[in-house]
Amino acid sequence: MTQKQIEFYLDFSSPYAYIASGIIDEFAEKHDAAVIWRPFVLGAVFKDEGNKPLLEYPKKGAYAKCDIPRCAQFYKVPYHHPTLFPVSTISGLRAHYGIELEHGADAAKIFAKALYAAYFIHNRNISDKDIVLQIGAEVGYDSKWLDQQLQSAPAKDRLRAITDDAMNRGVFGAPYFFINGEPFWGVDRLPMMAHYLKKGTWSDA
Amino acid sequence: MTQKQIEFYLDFSSPYAYIASGIIDEFAEKHDAAVIWRPFVLGAVFKDEGNKPLLEYPKKGAYAKCDIPRCAQFYKVPYHHPTLFPVSTISGLRAHYGIELEHGADAAKIFAKALYAAYFIHNRNISDKDIVLQIGAEVGYDSKWLDQQLQSAPAKDRLRAITDDAMNRGVFGAPYFFINGEPFWGVDRLPMMAHYLKKGTWSDA
């Protein structure tokens, strides 16, 4: 039997995707599924959709400021709201794919988690390429090598391809998940995802 | 001990608020809470926020079309997507408050549920005042009386006051709930609402 797959679309500046990142592996294991992490450029997707970042909506933004920390508490994920928010994550995203291309998805996931912790726990400015390289060094990558990797055409191309693919598949926010093509938006959809992983359908819900 | 209260903000054209309407009473009973229904003009709130109706976003709209029926199945609420969607609900909203002013909140809730069933199960056009009056008649109100009520200044004023109040309290979508002032947006927040009703805090989550 093929293992079920959860595709997990995230951006390193999305608090809700960060919260999801803290629980999705355990969730997947519980449901006998694998998780494929797909970092992408959320800003490009917003632009394409005619949507705006959360905090640019006055009421929805105020709600998010109250909701994000309590969600983190609810899901038992450590959270500190970053001083600079939101930030550009291009360097981190390219570094992620630079690592993935050379060392594989598991290695890239370790780096992605380190990047998330740096931003959403330790308040480090991950829009700064030097900080990204430092974080890379902390998980074992030579900074000069990583700097070359994140500027390489294959890393850039891979990020662009994943982002284009996200748009073509209808992704409009983060976290966004696919299970066998079925789309789920938001960390609060885990109960429905659990149902779908178990039953594979809605009609007998 | 005072019973806990869930304030439930809804519009009669919101599918997610309709789904919430089908489960919120049982949910509240289970958690020893009362529900106060507060129908309001969602369109006015969207306009104020610089937001657009769901289906005007190409990707989010496509997602909603897929998500609404499966949510209804997941929550075991009957659902048929209306041919005309979204529609103006002003007549229904005013009729709701016309009934509430004369017969109280419980009577108005019965009417609200009938209106929801008419729209989201039986595909009736609730933007048509005559249909609203018919639905009123089906739950026991004289059509001439209800017609006068829904055009009366007190009903209009009450709807305006509830809508203004919603905006002032930060409501930007539907369903929207308050429990002791704590805001919750979306039917998928019921697990967090359950936690909050039980614990009254997030810090020990």
Side-chain angles (χ1 to χ4, degrees), chain A:
Chain A
M1 198 181 124
T2 327
Q3 196 185 26
K4 285 167 241 162
Q5 288 188 332
I6 302 170
E7 292 171 87
F8 170 31
Y9 282 89
L10 61 128
D11 185 297
F12 294 124
S13 184
S14 161
Y16 290 112
Y18 159 72
I19 292 169
S21 79
I23 54 177
I24 193 68
D25 286 331
E26 195 181 325
F27 173 86
E29 202 178 321
K30 196 175 152 190
H31 294 93
D32 239 334
V35 187
I36 303 166
W37 288 42
R38 300 211 190 281
F40 73 109
V41 186
L42 181 58
V45 167
F46 276 160
K47 208 173 157 190
D48 181 66
E49 175 78 348
N51 206 340
K52 293 179 286 188
L54 214 44
L55 298 192
E56 288 184 24
Y57 292 98
K59 293 187 174 70
K60 198 189 264 188
Y63 175 79
K65 273 189 194 164
C66 144
D67 187 55
I68 292 162
R70 74 182 183 184
C71 268
Q73 287 192 297
F74 181 74
Y75 291 109
K76 303 188 196 313
V77 174
Y79 185 82
H80 174 275
H81 193 68
T83 309
L84 298 173
F85 177 81
V87 292
S88 161
T89 55
I90 289 294
S91 294
L93 288 163
R94 287 178 178 164
H96 176 94
Y97 286 111
I99 292 167
E100 193 196 80
L101 287 165
E102 285 285 318
H103 296 283
D106 289 346
K109 192 192 279 195
I110 290 168
F111 171 74
K113 288 190 172 188
L115 208 59
Y116 262 148
Y119 188 50
F120 287 114
I121 303 176
H122 304 298
N123 200 24
R124 292 164 76 181
N125 177 10
I126 61 163
S127 71
D128 181 337
K129 196 185 76 176
D130 290 339
I131 303 280
V132 170
L133 295 177
Q134 265 175 35
I135 295 161
E138 286 156 20
V139 292
Y141 299 102
D142 178 76
S143 293
K144 207 165 166 185
W145 174 82
L146 188 55
D147 196 13
Q148 282 166 348
Q149 276 302 107
L150 73 81
Q151 294 187 59
S152 72
K156 290 180 183 179
D157 289 348
R158 177 99 173 117
L159 175 59
R160 201 175 298 117
I162 293 281
T163 302
D164 286 349
D165 201 43
M167 286 199 248
N168 292 334
R169 298 177 78 183
V171 174
F172 57 87
Y176 206 97
F177 308 94
F178 288 98
I179 302 170
N180 294 343
E182 185 85 7
F184 297 90
W185 172 46
V187 64
D188 41 25
R189 284 311 169 82
L190 289 179
M192 286 182 71
M193 289 166 63
H195 174 94
Y196 192 73
L197 282 165
K198 214 165 142 190
K199 304 256 184 177
T201 174
W202 300 105
S203 54
D204 59 349

Side-chain angles (χ1 to χ4, degrees), chain B residues 39-41 89-102 111 145-163:
Chain B
F40 73 108
V41 186
T89 55
I90 289 293
S91 295
L93 288 164
R94 288 177 178 165
H96 177 95
Y97 286 111
I99 291 167
E100 193 195 79
L101 287 165
E102 285 285 318
F111 170 75
W145 174 82
L146 188 56
D147 196 12
Q148 283 166 349
Q149 277 302 107
L150 73 81
Q151 294 187 59
S152 72
K156 290 181 184 178
D157 290 348
R158 177 98 174 117
L159 176 59
R160 202 175 298 116
I162 293 281
T163 302

Side-chain angles (χ1 to χ4, degrees), chain A residues 48 59 67 70 183 189, chain B residues 48-49 59 67 70 183 189:
Chain A
D48 181 66
K59 293 187 174 70
D67 187 55
R70 74 182 183 184
R189 284 311 169 82
Chain B
D48 181 65
E49 175 78 347
K59 293 186 175 69
D67 185 56
R70 75 182 181 183
R189 284 312 168 84

